[in-house]
């Protein structure tokens, strides 16, 4: 986190929402604000999609409605998270400048009528957006209601990868900065292959659709460039704001689900406070574990500092194939899981359910049914709890284990021409994280190259692309006494996507004590039994141990007889390796062994859980806070002492957490 970051100061945990009053008449605004007060809402994001309202004609501003709304919110004691309004350019702009519209990889334009219809490298868009930001900052820069600036909205959600001529020109400038000479670029991209050598910068374009697979180096750099380009858009807006306002600045990240285009490790230091949007993704095997993972990663992006959940939903979204309603109590369980994992703010998309536009079937705090609804009652209940636990704000999550996560590995794993399309990077990450989650062991998510000295156990799932220095940092940490689990496909390529030779796992090879000769992936239908009784899937390898001990080997499939799980004593520590994707119960059993060996435990003893649960401790200066979320229907019991903040009951030695409930125990002496 940037040391000169402006602190987001708020009394307790922020509770709020996106608010789109443009969609309603002023008489509705009165009711909105009264109900916001009833629910305890104290932070409201406005002007997120305001551009065509506040600048209806080029250079003609009309702030009357926004003045009114901000004034009403302020009068009600509700603070404003003020959007710069640049997320969805108005029709007049793209009509005058159709060249600003984004272009897909097949060379076709994407048109206005949705949102984010702009090329991130378009000079026309950039100029018009900054003019708008200047006007908004001039008007509200020192308004007492403004608690936070919200730059654009989910930058890159739809338009991250643009292939127009302006993007190609910007890509070339970015490449010239990175490589300086065309020879260096040719070497990095391996253009000797298929006669792809470039003689001049002007010959290079974005990786548009080709007949065959594309150059992997070019694809990888295009990802890096596209992430940097949107970050520069954020920086340009933030610079304008900084000149005219003292309030902190952020933008809402999209960690992680299926949006892989932005390397938030390189963005996070620019945020005064990290903010994330999270929606349960029911296309995943375990959406709840992914929620916990995304929350832990949001915390990791800020180096462990509290962050804000800028958006999540009270119920169904409208953009998955099947949009599931939440179960009774799930709003509380989801929201408080984010708080347990470090959020100091809980906000929703959106306040009042739209009746028009493409999000009219998206849930909201105030649903179409109105206040006579379970959603509304749970929102009010949550607002009350958030209010009562305000003292937790500023405390930090305690973790003894870490997981190394890399957007670059995500990009490289999923580009064209890889060993298997059946396996995605997130599948490996989620499987590893899910094993820890199911045991209630808290994990920090860290970047490659992060300092690991605070941890006893580190997992490195599928870190396909690795720089030598980042691998050495991990293996040195193991040698100093750490326990690590490295999983298959890690250490396969360097930062240019060039294969590490001499046996896969490259810079991890010696510490792991194995020699991997060949990858042998299998289809989703094939089970890979192991000698230990565990079952693997999707991946196997032909390898032999050098100094490691094989803990389990494949008994069947293309790698029968070859090791599947190995352990190597490396210095004072141990380096484990996993060569297949274990079934969930088997992964869990492996993590139990690793955690025992490393001396890592859940935040407290849990007994009787019949389903997943969360148990996380946040530590403050005077007390610690033990969060327990029971996703099951049976009560569970934990060992704890203190005061339970949801019910106000004292806890002596043990606490019962009823099925579906959340309990937060203040432990007086910092544990
Ligand atoms: C987010 C976006 C919001 C809204 C929401 C719906 O991606 O920032 O504006 O569209 O999704 O789930």
């Amino acid at each position: 986190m940037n040391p000169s970051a402006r602190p987001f100061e708020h009394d307790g945990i922020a509770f709020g929402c996106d608010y789109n009053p443009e969609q309603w008449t002023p008489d509705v605004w009165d009711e909105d604000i009264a109900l916001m007060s009833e629910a305890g809402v104290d932070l409201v994001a406005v002007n997120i999609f305001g551009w065509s309202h506040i600048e209806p004609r080029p250079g003609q501003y009309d702030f009357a409605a926004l003045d009114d709304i901000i004034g009403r919110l302020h009068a009600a004691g509700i603070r404003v998270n003020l959007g710069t309004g640049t997320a969805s350019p108005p029709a007049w702009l793209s009509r005058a400048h159709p060249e600003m519209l984004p272009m897909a990889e097949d060379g076709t334009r994407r048109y206005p009528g949705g949102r984010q219809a702009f090329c991130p490298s378009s000079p026309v868009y950039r100029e018009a957006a900054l003019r708008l930001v200047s006007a908004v900052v001039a008007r509200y820069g020192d308004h007492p209601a403004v608690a936070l600036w919200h730059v654009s909205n989910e930058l890159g959600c739809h338009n991250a990868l643009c292939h127009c001529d302006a993007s190609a020109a910007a890509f070339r400038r970015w490449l010239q900065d990175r490589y300086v000479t065309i020879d260096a670029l040719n070497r990095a991209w391996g253009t000797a292959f298929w006669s792809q050598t470039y003689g001049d910068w002007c010959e290079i374009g974005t990786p548009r659709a080709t007949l065959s697979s594309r150059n992997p180096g070019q694809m990888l750099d295009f990802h890096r460039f596209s992430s940097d380009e949107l970050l520069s858009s954020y920086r340009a807006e933030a610079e304008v704001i900084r000149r005219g306002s003292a309030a902190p600045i952020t933008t809402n990240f999209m960690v992680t689900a299926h949006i892989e285009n932005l390397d938030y490790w390189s963005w996070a230091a620019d945020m005064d406070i990290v903010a994330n949007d999270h929606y349960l993704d029911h296309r995943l095997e375990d959406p709840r574990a992914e929620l916990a993972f995304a929350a832990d990663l949001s915390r990791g992006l800020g180096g462990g500092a509290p962050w804000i959940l800028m958006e999540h939903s009270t119920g169904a979204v409208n953009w998955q194939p099947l949009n599931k309603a939440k179960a009774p109590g799930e709003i509380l369980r989801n929201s408080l899981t984010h708080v347990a994992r470090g959020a100091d703010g809980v906000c929703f998309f959106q306040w009042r359910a739209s009746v028009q536009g493409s999000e009219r079937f998206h849930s909201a705090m105030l649903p179409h049914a109105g206040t006579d609804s379970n959603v509304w009652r749970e929102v009010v209940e949550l607002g009350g709890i958030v209010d009562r636990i305000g003292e937790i704000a500023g405390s930090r999550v305690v973790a003894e284990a870490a997981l190394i996560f890399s957007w670059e590995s995500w990009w490289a794993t999923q580009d064209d021409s890889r060993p298997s399309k059946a396996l995605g990077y997130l599948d490996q990450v989620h499987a590893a994280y899910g094993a820890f989650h199911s045991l209630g062991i808290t994990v920090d998510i860290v970047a490659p190259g992060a300092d690991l000295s605070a941890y006893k156990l580190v997992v490195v799932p599928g870190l396909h692309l690795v720089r030598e220095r980042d691998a050495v940092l991990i293996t040195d940490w193991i040698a100093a006494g750490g326990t690590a689990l490295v999983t298959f496909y890690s250490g396969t390529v360097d930062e240019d996507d060039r294969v590490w030779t001499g046996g896969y796992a490259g810079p991890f090879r010696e510490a792991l004590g194995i020699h991997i000769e060949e990858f042998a992936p299998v289809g989703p239908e094939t089970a890979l039994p192991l000698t230990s009784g565990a079952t693997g899937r999707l991946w196997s390898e032909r390898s032999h141990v050098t100094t490691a001990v094989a803990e389990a080997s494949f008994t069947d499939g293309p790698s029968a007889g070859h090791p599947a799980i190995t352990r190597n004593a490396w210095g004072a520590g141990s380096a484990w390796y996993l060569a297949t994707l274990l079934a969930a119960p088997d992964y869990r059993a492996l993590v139990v062994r690793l955690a025992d060996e490393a001396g890592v435990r859940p935040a407290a003893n849990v007994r009787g859980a019949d389903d997943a649960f969360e148990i996380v401790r946040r530590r403050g200066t005077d007390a610690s806070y033990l969060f327990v979320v029971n996703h099951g229907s049976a009560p569970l019991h934990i060992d704890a002492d203190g005061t339970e903040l949801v019910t106000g009951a004292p806890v002596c030695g043990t606490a019962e957490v009823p099925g579906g409930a959340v309990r937060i125990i203040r432990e007086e002496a910092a544990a």
Side-chain angles (χ1 to χ4, degrees):
M1 182 63 61
N2 174 1
S4 60
R6 300 164 172 192
F8 169 66
E9 278 155 6
H10 194 85
D11 193 14
I13 309 270
F15 186 55
C17 49
D18 273 26
Y19 182 34
N20 297 300
E22 316 77 47
Q23 297 176 17
W24 305 94
T25 48
D27 53 309
V28 179
W29 302 350
D30 288 331
E31 190 194 30
D32 283 337
I33 290 175
L35 288 173
M36 282 178 189
S37 301
E38 187 182 324
V41 164
D42 58 15
L43 183 71
V44 163
V46 290
N47 197 39
I48 304 297
F49 297 104
W51 196 338
S52 68
H53 300 273
I54 59 178
E55 192 184 2
R57 294 274 165 275
Q60 282 176 25
Y61 298 103
D62 178 358
F63 287 113
L66 192 55
D67 285 354
D68 188 357
I69 279 292
I70 293 180
R72 287 176 198 230
L73 290 166
H74 185 50
I78 298 171
R79 307 173 82 210
V80 169
N81 170 19
L82 187 54
T84 55
T86 55
S88 208
W92 55 255
L93 186 60
S94 50
R95 177 152 189 272
H97 295 283
E99 74 280 12
M100 68 171 264
L101 293 170
M103 187 176 276
E105 63 174 20
D106 65 356
T108 57
R109 293 276 180 191
R110 292 295 174 266
Y111 294 99
R115 65 177 172 186
Q116 249 180 27
F118 62 88
C119 154
S121 302
S122 160
V124 169
Y125 168 79
R126 177 76 64 97
E127 210 187 301
L130 294 186
R131 251 195 335 264
L132 180 78
V133 179
S134 300
V136 174
V137 174
R139 186 124 192 136
Y140 304 109
D142 51 15
H143 195 295
V146 176
L148 185 63
W149 286 93
H150 183 302
V151 169
S152 192
N153 187 64
E154 292 192 341
L155 282 156
C157 176
H158 310 285
N159 65 348
L161 306 177
C162 177
H163 293 265
C164 74
D165 290 346
S167 296
F171 185 39
R172 283 190 288 274
R173 287 193 293 276
W174 184 94
L175 291 167
Q176 277 175 287
D177 275 355
R178 183 174 171 89
Y179 295 108
V180 182
T181 68
I182 196 88
D183 288 348
L185 175 138
N186 279 315
R187 275 195 302 278
W189 287 8
T191 55
F193 179 81
W194 279 355
S195 182
Q196 290 171 348
T197 306
Y198 293 104
D200 193 289
W201 296 101
C202 66
E203 294 161 6
I204 304 170
T206 62
R208 285 191 184 168
T210 48
L211 291 172
S212 64
S213 50
R214 289 166 275 193
N215 180 294
Q218 183 184 14
M219 299 284 281
L220 182 60
D221 273 344
F222 185 58
H223 273 294
R224 291 182 175 126
F225 154 78
S226 300
S227 174
D228 286 358
E229 200 66 351
L230 281 156
L231 174 57
S232 92
S233 202
Y234 173 84
R235 285 182 175 153
E237 291 198 25
E239 198 183 308
V240 174
I241 299 168
R242 226 166 259 130
R243 285 201 297 267
S245 172
I249 309 166
T250 193
T251 190
N252 43 348
F253 289 175
M254 301 163 283
V255 168
T256 49
H258 294 286
I259 309 264
E260 82 263 33
N261 290 322
L262 308 166
D263 181 352
Y264 288 128
W265 292 125
S266 66
W267 284 55
D270 279 75
M271 306 297 128
D272 288 336
I273 183 165
V274 167
N276 191 45
D277 294 351
H278 185 269
Y279 293 93
L280 280 177
D281 189 338
H282 292 285
R283 293 164 291 191
L284 297 172
E285 225 168 87
D286 188 352
R288 274 194 312 236
E290 194 277 334
L291 182 156
F293 171 76
D296 286 344
L297 178 50
S298 302
R299 179 178 76 252
L301 286 164
W307 53 281
I308 296 180
L309 177 65
M310 198 66 97
E311 292 181 20
H312 72 315
S313 71
T314 60
V317 297
N318 66 314
W319 43 265
Q320 290 175 23
L322 173 66
N323 297 301
K324 292 195 179 174
K326 290 197 178 180
E330 198 176 355
I331 298 176
L332 266 73
R333 291 191 293 279
N334 290 170
S335 297
L336 295 171
T337 298
H338 287 288
V339 177
R341 296 178 184 279
D344 271 6
V346 174
C347 303
F348 291 92
F349 177 86
Q350 61 176 333
W351 165 251
R352 182 185 279 272
S354 300
V355 289
Q356 291 182 293
S358 63
E359 292 183 326
R360 67 205 184 289
F361 294 114
H362 193 291
S363 58
M365 293 172 92
L366 184 59
H368 291 148
T371 53
D372 184 11
S373 60
N374 190 51
V375 165
W376 175 253
R377 285 185 285 274
E378 284 198 23
V379 163
V380 174
E381 186 186 352
L382 175 64
I385 296 174
V386 165
D387 191 44
R388 288 203 291 289
I389 63 171
E391 65 181 82
I392 290 170
S395 60
R396 288 188 170 229
V397 171
V398 180
E400 297 177 322
L403 180 151
I404 297 181
F405 182 79
S406 155
W407 271 275
E408 288 187 320
S409 275
W410 188 353
W411 298 335
T413 302
Q414 292 184 192
D415 268 347
D416 304 345
S417 309
R418 303 282 157 171
S420 170
K421 280 246 179 264
L423 178 85
Y425 173 66
L426 283 187
D427 299 331
Q428 275 235 58
V429 170
H430 288 160
Y433 180 88
F436 284 86
H437 183 253
S438 70
L439 293 164
I441 296 175
T442 308
V443 177
D444 276 350
I445 314 294
V446 301
D451 175 14
L452 302 175
S453 56
Y455 304 109
K456 296 177 178 169
L457 176 58
V458 169
V459 55
V460 186
L463 192 66
H464 179 61
L465 178 157
V466 74
R467 290 168 178 77
E468 189 161 20
R469 62 170 189 274
D470 294 342
V472 168
L473 205 135
I474 297 167
T475 53
D476 282 356
W477 171 84
I478 301 171
T483 301
L485 172 67
V486 177
T487 78
F488 62 93
Y489 212 29
S490 291
T492 309
V493 298
D494 70 8
E495 72 172 297
D496 294 330
D497 209 2
R498 182 189 290 108
V499 174
W500 291 101
T501 54
Y504 293 124
F508 294 117
R509 188 173 56 230
E510 211 188 323
L512 295 172
I514 51 172
H515 184 79
I516 304 165
E517 296 170 34
E518 202 176 353
F519 296 144
V522 295
E525 67 292 340
T526 306
L528 293 168
L530 310 188
T531 49
S532 60
T535 307
R537 56 196 181 95
L538 292 180
W539 196 270
S540 75
E541 287 170 356
R542 294 173 179 159
S543 70
H544 58 266
V545 293
T546 51
T547 55
V549 172
E551 299 279 337
S553 301
F554 295 101
T555 60
D556 203 355
S559 305
H562 293 271
I565 304 174
T566 60
R567 178 178 181 277
N568 193 39
W570 182 247
S574 59
W576 290 74
Y577 183 72
L578 175 60
T580 188
L581 191 65
L582 287 176
D586 299 326
Y587 218 135
R588 183 185 155 108
L590 177 62
V591 171
V592 167
R593 276 193 71 185
L594 289 159
D596 274 355
E597 183 179 305
V600 169
R601 279 182 298 278
N605 276 336
V606 179
R607 291 182 305 280
D610 70 344
D611 196 349
F613 59 91
E614 323 278 332
I615 183 153
V616 182
R617 176 172 287 116
R618 286 182 68 161
R619 184 175 289 154
T621 26
D622 303 321
S624 289
Y625 303 92
L626 187 62
F627 282 75
V628 190
V629 179
N630 185 355
H631 295 296
S633 51
L636 60 78
H637 294 87
I638 53 155
D639 296 341
D641 285 291
T643 307
E644 203 287 309
L645 299 179
V646 174
T647 58
V651 176
C652 303
T654 175
E656 178 175 301
V657 183
V662 182
R663 294 290 179 261
I664 306 165
I665 296 152
R666 184 208 293 125
E667 305 166 309
E668 298 302 340

